[in-house]
Amino acid sequence: MKPIHLHKTFPLAGVAIILLGVLPACDKQATDYREYLNGKEKVYPGLMKNLEVLPGKERVRFSWQPSADPSIKSYKITWNRGASSLEVAATSHDPSQTLTATVNGLAEDTYDFKIYAQDGAGNISVPIEKAGVRSYGGRYQSGLGNRGIVSKWFEGDKTLVIQWATADTVHTGSRITYTDLAGQEQTVDAGAAVTETRLPDCREDEPVSVLSGYKPVRLAIDTFYALKPDTLKF
């Protein structure tokens, strides 16, 4: 049996036909999406880092570390499906610093936000999305009550002693207002961790009021107070 020899050459005409078939295909692949880019390269500015959303009373505050991309001129926050927006100048490109922006005038509700970085040519970054962000207001405040008291009594030197019930987890503290023996109004703040408060030289025939504050979440930027103080009776 004779050995079979593989040919290592092709006729020149065959090579030309093969190349003519390949080159148009390659050219088409490289320009498949050119019509969508208007002949320009798509540019995405750098993103900010460590974005935090801090809710408040009919407002929301954003804080972030700026992108080091020097082309960024501003940041844009949008909500209401893009119908509402706030633009903030990029005053720093140092990632060790913190930039903040506050969206005010938000009715008590939940909102979906998108935050973009923008360069001077109008290019925008891929957005960072924050969904279900809540703004607090009157409905939340109407459900707040003042901190409970377990017991209260006067000691012989006219000191009023108040023993507090366990504070709610979002309680920030209570302000007690009373009149001293000299007829002057005094205020004492009792933090959430305090279990007993002593009010020296307290007049028994004048009202003592307690007004308590709360934050809906730990990082909230505003403190909400009960709608009215409780008046202690003796």
Side-chain angles (χ1 to χ4, degrees):
M1 179 179 291
K2 295 182 180 180
I4 298 174
H5 297 282
L6 298 175
H7 293 285
K8 297 182 180 179
T9 60
F10 297 93
L12 289 177
V15 172
I17 292 172
I18 293 172
L19 289 176
L20 288 173
V22 171
L23 288 177
C26 293
D27 184 64
K28 184 178 187 304
Q29 184 177 14
T31 59
D32 275 346
Y33 303 101
R34 184 174 295 171
E35 62 181 298
Y36 303 109
L37 298 177
N38 295 321
K40 298 179 181 179
E41 182 181 359
K42 186 65 176 177
V43 176
Y44 291 97
L47 289 172
M48 73 282 280
K49 296 182 178 179
N50 299 325
L51 177 67
E52 285 192 320
V53 185
L54 313 175
K57 186 174 184 179
E58 298 180 350
R59 61 179 183 162
V60 172
R61 179 172 297 163
F62 297 84
S63 69
W64 66 90
Q65 292 174 297
S67 170
D69 183 348
S71 71
I72 292 175
K73 300 302 181 183
S74 64
Y75 296 92
K76 188 174 183 179
I77 302 170
T78 67
W79 65 100
N80 290 338
R81 297 183 178 181
S84 303
S85 64
L86 174 68
E87 195 162 327
V88 184
T91 55
S92 173
H93 298 96
D94 182 355
S96 68
Q97 295 188 4
T98 299
L99 298 181
T100 62
T102 302
V103 177
N104 295 301
L106 293 175
E108 185 173 9
D109 207 339
T110 56
Y111 297 85
D112 296 335
F113 291 94
K114 290 184 179 180
I115 301 91
Y116 306 83
Q118 302 179 128
D119 65 15
N123 298 303
I124 62 173
S125 68
V126 176
I128 296 178
E129 299 186 19
K130 292 290 184 179
V133 177
R134 185 173 175 184
S135 171
Y136 295 86
R139 292 198 307 274
Y140 171 76
Q141 188 175 16
S142 66
L144 300 177
N146 294 299
R147 186 178 180 183
I149 294 175
V150 175
S151 61
K152 59 186 182 298
W153 67 88
F154 276 95
E155 293 186 341
D157 59 353
K158 298 297 182 181
T159 295
L160 175 61
V161 182
I162 299 174
Q163 288 190 335
W164 301 100
T166 301
D168 190 283
T169 55
V170 294
H171 176 54
T172 59
S174 297
R175 172 154 291 187
I176 305 97
T177 304
Y178 72 100
T179 303
D180 65 17
L181 297 178
Q184 300 297 313
E185 184 175 274
Q186 303 292 336
T187 59
V188 174
D189 292 323
V194 171
T195 58
E196 182 179 283
T197 299
R198 303 174 70 85
L199 307 178
D201 298 327
C202 181
R203 289 185 57 166
E204 297 184 44
D205 58 343
E206 293 291 339
V208 176
S209 66
V210 176
L211 184 65
S212 299
Y214 302 85
K215 284 192 172 184
V217 294
R218 184 177 61 86
L219 295 178
I221 57 176
D222 293 309
T223 299
F224 293 77
Y225 293 89
L227 293 178
K228 62 180 182 178
D230 286 345
T231 299
L232 306 187
K233 298 179 180 179
F234 303 98

